[in-house]
């Protein structure tokens, strides 16, 4: 039996299907139209901006870093342009080591270059490129350029490099720059100046490079560059020029700095020379020194180990961070305190048997048998310990503390370097705060005795000693010591003084200051500094000093021949000249140098001869210690 088709029903189904399909098509076109309207009308401005951003790349223009010059215009830190070979690891498909091996066939890549590159990658703050070789020769640039197509992710870049043309000279002053590490990048990003460091790869790490980073860096500029879909620059649309960093004009006389560094030779120590009237630091020496150029592009491991593991600690900034007992250089200030506080008159004299008994302890003088009758002049000229044992006992530690504090002892001077050490100017309050156990917190009267000769708890930086000496030479007018004398605007060249006026004045009587200065002149004429200054063509004032490194057992006598060189006493010397109108004030220490008269005073003499007279010592020979007879060995 044949089934008849229901034509009417099939036609109805067809029409229904057609309507559904048509409805779906309508809905889809309606969605497409609405999306089109949304994109072209409502989101038009947003997508135009995005398209412009894709078409236009904003490229930072890194500013030229400011120069550093000495007081006479000698360039101490400068910039120069050179080519670097840089790798961006994120763009490398294959093995990185294999790539470097292939690059080594075109350019000279040493093991130290590989180690530095690896270290830079570990410290990298982002996926930016890092140099595998710096300062390429023209021949190397040409060889790589011819094979550039073989090395995607490797580029030659023209970079500005920092250079310190005098190498190790004044390195603790100038410091150095280095590549920004992860920690520094986070600090920059969290700060208010993050935008200004876009494109910057280096930052000041130490010294003035670090302390004046905000002045030296300058202001970053920007270029708007039209790029193709592949990212290739087509043309520059606009440019905002970078503002170069300011230049630093130092107070340092770099020739004086060289003379002093040469005078030290291979000895360790510190030297600071200050112009009393202005606070200008004329020389700032920390020995041994180091070459800051090693750090600019990342120091290699071998060089780092040599510096970091050296027993001489060349990276230690001794004038700023080294703390030493001042020894007998403290005595002129003790004498001035006695005069100002009415505890002594210049003519008051004591009989010195060569020791001072306090309780059951015998405090010895350097001179066996003593100095006989000693007044204030003789106490400074011949450096009589017994005089100052008695004076310290009469004054008391808190009185000594209060008098010495305005001179800057145990206080930060505020010099324009970071990480300045405070030192210790002892007092009963200081000891109570410094120790934990009750018996340690108590100040014992016997502890005051050694304070009078610059020993005991006294611990000052060479910078503090130089600052105090300059203040004394300047009759109590305190000038803040500074290394940067002027800041020169990188655009207008206008200069601004960093320390335009005095900090404060210590209320001292001029007749008392004159007594101390007269005695210090006597030190260099007939006292402990006389041999070093016997042929000087100017009148200078000075004071020698010796500071113990290790304690000597009761009843024993110091014998340098029986102890290690590293345990020998430190040699100190302070001075200013000309005595009637001081142009230079000095403090220096020769570590383990023995007596200040023998080791330190000749270095000061060489510095003064050059600065005041223009006399330069033999460039090949460090200044030797002055031979002094044993019976004159006293500080």
């Amino acid at each position: 039996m044949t089934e008849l088709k229901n034509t009417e029903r099939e036609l109805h189904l067809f029409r229904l299907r057609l309507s559904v399909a048509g409805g779906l098509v309508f809905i889809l076109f309606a969605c497409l139209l609405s999306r089109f309207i949304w994109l072209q009308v409502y989101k038009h401005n947003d997508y135009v901006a995005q398209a412009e951003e894709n078409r236009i790349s904003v490229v930072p223009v890194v500013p030229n870093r400011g120069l550093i010059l000495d007081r006479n215009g000698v360039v101490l830190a400068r910039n120069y342009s050179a080519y670097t070979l840089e790798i961006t690891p994120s763009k490398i498909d294959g093995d990185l080591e294999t790539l470097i091996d292939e690059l080594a066939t075109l350019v000279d890549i040493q093991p130290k270059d590989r180690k530095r590159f690896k270290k830079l990658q570990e410290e990298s703050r982002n996926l930016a490129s890092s140099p595998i070789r710096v300062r390429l020769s023209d021949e190397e640039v040409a060889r790589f350029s011819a094979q550039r197509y073989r090395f995607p992710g490797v580029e030659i870049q023209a970079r500005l490099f920092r250079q310190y043309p005098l190498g190790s000279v004044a390195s603790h002053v100038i410091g150095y720059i280095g590549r920004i590490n992860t920690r520094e990048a986070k600090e920059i990003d969290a700060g208010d100046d993050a935008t200004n460091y876009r494109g910057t790869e280096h930052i000041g790490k130490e010294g003035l490079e670090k302390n004046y980073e905000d002045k030296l860096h300058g202001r970053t500029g920007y270029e708007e560059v039209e790029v193709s879909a592949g990212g290739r620059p087509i043309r520059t649309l606009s440019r905002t020029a970078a503002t170069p960093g300011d230049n630093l004009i130092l107070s340092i006389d770099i020739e004086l700095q060289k003379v002093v560094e040469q005078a030290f030779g291979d000895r360790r120590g510190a030297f600071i020379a200050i112009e009393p009237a202005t606070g200008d630091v004329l020389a700032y020496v920390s020995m041994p020194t180091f070459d800051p150029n090693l750090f600019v592009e990342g120091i290699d491991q071998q060089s780092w180990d040599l510096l970091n593991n050296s027993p001489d600690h060349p990276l230690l900034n001794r004038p700023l961070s080294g703390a030493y007992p001042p020894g007998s250089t403290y005595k002129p200030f003790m004498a001035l305190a006695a005069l100002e506080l009415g505890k002594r008159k210049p003519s008051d004299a004591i009989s010195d048997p060569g020791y001072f008994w306090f309780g059951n302890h015998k405090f010895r003088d350097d001179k066996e048998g003593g100095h006989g009758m000693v007044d204030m002049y003789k106490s400074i000229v011949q450096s009589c310990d017994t005089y100052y044992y008695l004076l310290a006992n009469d004054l008391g530690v808190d009185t000594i503390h209060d008098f010495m504090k305005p001179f800057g002892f145990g206080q930060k001077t505020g010099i324009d370097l970071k990480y300045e050490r405070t030192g210790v100017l002892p007092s009963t309050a200081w000891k109570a705060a410094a120790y934990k156990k009750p018996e340690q917190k108590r100040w014992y009267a016997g502890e005051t005795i050694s304070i009078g000769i610059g020993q005991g708890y006294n611990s000052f930086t060479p910078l503090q000693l130089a600052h105090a000496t300059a203040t004394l030479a300047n009759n109590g007018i305190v000038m803040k010591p500074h290394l940067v004398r002027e800041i020169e605007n990188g655009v207008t060249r206008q200069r601004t003084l960093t320390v335009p006026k005095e900090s404060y004045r210590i209320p001292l009587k001029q007749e008392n200051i004159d007594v101390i200065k007269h005695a210090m002149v006597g030190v260099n004429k007939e006292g402990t500094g006389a041999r070093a200054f016997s042929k000087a063509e100017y009148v200078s004032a000075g004071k020698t000093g010796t500071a113990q490194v290790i304690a000597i057992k009761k009843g024993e006598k110091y014998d340098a021949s029986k102890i290690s060189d590293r345990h020998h006493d430190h040699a100190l010397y302070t001075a200013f000249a000309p005595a009637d109108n001081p142009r230079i004030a000095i403090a220096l220490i020769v570590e383990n140098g023995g007596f200040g008269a023998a080791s330190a005073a000749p270095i000061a003499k060489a510095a003064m001869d050059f600065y005041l007279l223009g006399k330069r010592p033999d460039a090949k020979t460090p200044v030797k210690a002055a031979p002094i007879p044993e019976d004159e060995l006293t500080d």
Side-chain angles (χ1 to χ4, degrees):
M1 183 176 179
T2 304
E3 183 178 352
L4 297 176
K5 291 184 178 179
N6 190 338
T7 307
E8 202 59 41
R9 182 171 176 271
E10 290 182 357
L11 184 60
H12 174 72
L13 288 173
F14 173 75
R15 289 173 178 169
L16 180 62
R17 290 169 183 163
L18 185 62
S19 298
V20 171
L24 287 173
V25 170
F26 177 78
I27 292 171
L28 291 173
F29 271 101
C31 290
L32 185 62
L33 180 62
S34 63
R35 183 62 177 169
F36 179 79
I37 294 172
W38 171 258
L39 294 174
Q40 293 295 323
V41 178
Y42 293 99
K43 301 294 291 182
H44 173 78
N45 292 335
D46 292 342
Y47 285 105
V48 165
Q50 290 185 32
E52 284 297 302
E53 288 177 2
N54 290 333
R55 184 179 70 89
I56 300 173
S57 175
V58 179
V59 180
V61 179
V62 180
N64 284 347
R65 193 171 180 86
L67 305 180
I68 301 178
L69 306 93
D70 90 327
R71 68 191 294 119
N72 298 313
V74 178
V75 177
L76 308 179
R78 65 186 180 191
N79 310 306
Y80 71 96
S81 180
Y83 290 105
T84 65
L85 186 65
E86 304 195 5
I87 301 175
T88 306
S90 61
K91 296 181 181 180
I92 304 301
D93 294 331
D95 180 65
L96 184 59
E97 288 299 321
T98 302
L99 174 70
I100 295 175
D101 290 339
E102 293 177 0
L103 288 171
T105 63
L106 300 176
V107 298
D108 182 23
I109 299 177
Q110 297 292 324
K112 65 178 182 179
D113 297 319
R114 295 173 184 259
K115 290 179 181 179
R116 184 182 63 242
F117 176 77
K118 184 178 180 181
K119 183 179 180 182
L120 290 174
Q121 283 298 299
E122 291 172 352
E123 297 177 350
S124 179
R125 56 174 172 156
N126 49 39
L127 299 178
S129 62
S130 295
I132 185 66
R133 255 295 308 280
V134 297
R135 294 183 285 275
L136 296 175
S137 66
D138 292 340
E139 184 180 348
E140 288 175 320
V141 171
R143 280 204 304 265
F144 175 78
S145 298
Q147 300 292 322
R148 164 70 184 83
Y149 68 92
R150 294 173 47 202
F151 303 100
V154 183
E155 298 286 348
I156 286 181
Q157 300 284 354
R159 301 283 189 187
L160 277 178
F161 287 89
R162 194 67 159 176
Q163 185 189 39
Y164 306 100
L166 299 184
S168 63
V169 178
S171 60
H172 290 90
V173 174
I174 302 166
Y176 54 85
I177 68 169
R179 293 178 71 89
I180 297 173
N181 59 35
T182 304
R183 176 184 58 80
E184 292 163 337
K186 290 180 180 178
E187 292 176 355
I188 290 171
D189 292 340
D192 298 330
D193 211 22
T195 304
N196 190 39
Y197 277 83
R198 282 193 59 192
T200 299
E201 296 181 344
H202 295 80
I203 195 170
K205 299 278 188 175
E206 292 291 343
L208 296 176
E209 290 276 28
K210 180 179 181 67
N211 200 57
Y212 285 89
E213 171 64 27
D214 59 331
K215 299 292 185 183
L216 290 165
H217 180 267
R219 303 302 302 177
T220 298
Y222 293 93
E223 280 187 348
E224 286 190 336
V225 181
E226 185 177 7
V227 295
S228 66
R232 185 174 62 83
I234 298 175
R235 61 192 174 107
T236 300
L237 300 177
S238 66
R239 177 183 175 88
T240 301
T243 304
D246 295 337
N247 300 324
L248 304 184
I249 313 301
L250 306 191
S251 58
I252 294 287
D253 182 331
I254 204 62
E255 293 303 316
L256 174 62
Q257 181 87 12
K258 290 178 184 178
V259 165
V260 176
E261 290 188 12
Q262 172 203 324
F264 265 88
D266 59 1
R267 290 172 287 186
R268 303 178 306 280
F271 176 103
I272 307 93
I274 298 175
E275 186 176 65
T278 62
D280 283 0
V281 177
L282 303 172
Y284 182 104
V285 175
S286 182
M287 297 298 292
T289 186
F290 64 93
D291 186 356
N293 292 297
L294 294 171
F295 291 88
V296 175
E297 286 303 317
I299 188 170
D300 63 271
Q301 192 62 45
Q302 182 180 2
S303 298
W304 171 250
D305 289 341
L306 287 173
L307 290 173
N308 195 45
N309 299 328
S310 170
D312 293 334
H313 305 294
L315 297 178
L316 174 64
N317 193 325
R318 285 170 164 83
L320 192 74
S321 303
Y324 311 86
S328 294
T329 61
Y330 205 46
K331 290 174 181 175
F333 298 95
M334 287 290 298
L336 183 60
L339 293 173
E340 287 289 323
L341 299 173
K343 292 291 184 178
R344 295 286 190 279
K345 295 178 182 177
S347 59
D348 290 345
I350 66 163
S351 176
D352 172 28
Y355 55 84
F356 173 73
W357 279 102
F358 186 84
N360 62 351
H361 187 82
K362 188 178 185 180
F363 291 87
R364 298 179 182 275
D365 194 283
D366 276 347
K367 186 174 182 180
E368 194 74 33
H371 295 81
M373 294 302 295
V374 180
D375 61 6
M376 185 171 285
Y377 177 84
K378 188 175 180 180
S379 76
I380 294 175
V381 171
Q382 295 190 11
S383 201
C384 174
D385 288 346
T386 305
Y387 185 96
Y388 292 95
Y389 290 146
L390 183 59
L391 176 58
N393 186 54
D394 290 347
L395 288 174
V397 66
D398 287 334
T399 299
I400 295 172
H401 169 277
D402 294 345
F403 183 83
M404 299 298 179
K405 185 176 179 180
F407 283 92
F409 289 111
Q411 320 297 315
K412 292 184 178 181
T413 66
I415 195 171
D416 40 355
L417 286 176
K418 294 185 182 296
Y419 316 123
E420 182 178 5
R421 191 169 179 176
T422 303
V424 175
L425 178 63
S427 66
T428 54
W430 164 82
K431 194 179 182 189
Y435 292 91
K436 295 181 179 180
K437 296 180 180 180
E439 63 272 19
Q440 293 176 321
K441 288 176 174 288
R442 179 184 171 189
W443 186 273
Y444 298 92
E447 294 175 317
T448 305
I449 309 304
S450 296
I451 298 297
I453 63 167
Q455 295 286 167
Y457 292 111
N458 284 324
S459 180
F460 310 131
T461 66
L463 176 61
Q464 289 171 358
L465 191 56
H467 177 47
T469 303
T471 300
L472 176 61
N474 204 29
N475 300 323
I477 302 173
V478 179
M479 299 298 299
K480 180 181 176 181
H482 51 276
L483 293 159
V484 177
R485 185 173 65 177
E486 296 172 308
I487 297 176
E488 182 181 71
N489 186 284
V491 177
T492 65
R493 302 303 180 196
Q494 181 178 354
R495 294 187 177 186
T496 305
L497 285 171
T498 58
V499 181
K501 59 182 181 179
E502 65 190 56
S503 298
Y504 56 90
R505 297 191 178 203
I506 303 173
L508 302 171
K509 295 178 181 177
Q510 188 61 47
E511 60 265 29
N512 292 336
I513 295 175
D514 292 341
V515 169
I516 303 304
K517 287 185 175 182
H518 174 62
M520 292 179 72
V521 169
V523 169
N524 287 350
K525 281 189 173 182
E526 57 178 310
T528 54
R531 284 185 176 269
F533 282 84
S534 61
K535 298 180 181 179
E537 299 175 33
Y538 46 85
V539 177
S540 63
K543 184 68 193 81
T544 56
T546 302
Q548 287 184 352
V549 174
I550 57 172
I552 304 300
K553 293 181 180 179
K554 185 176 180 180
E556 290 186 0
K557 188 175 181 180
Y558 174 80
D559 187 347
S561 65
K562 295 181 179 179
I563 59 177
S564 165
D565 290 348
R566 299 273 173 173
H567 291 158
H568 287 182
D569 291 344
H570 296 321
L572 297 101
Y573 187 74
T574 57
F576 54 86
D580 59 345
N581 184 26
R583 292 169 50 199
I584 182 172
I586 288 171
L588 73 131
I589 181 169
V590 180
E591 291 183 3
N592 311 119
F595 287 91
S599 297
I603 296 176
K605 170 71 160 43
M608 288 182 170
D609 282 352
F610 174 79
Y611 191 73
L612 298 176
L613 306 175
K615 291 185 176 181
R616 190 184 294 269
D618 184 355
K620 298 180 180 179
T621 308
V623 175
K624 295 181 179 180
I628 297 179
E630 188 174 346
D631 61 346
E632 294 183 24
L633 285 177
T634 177
D635 280 326

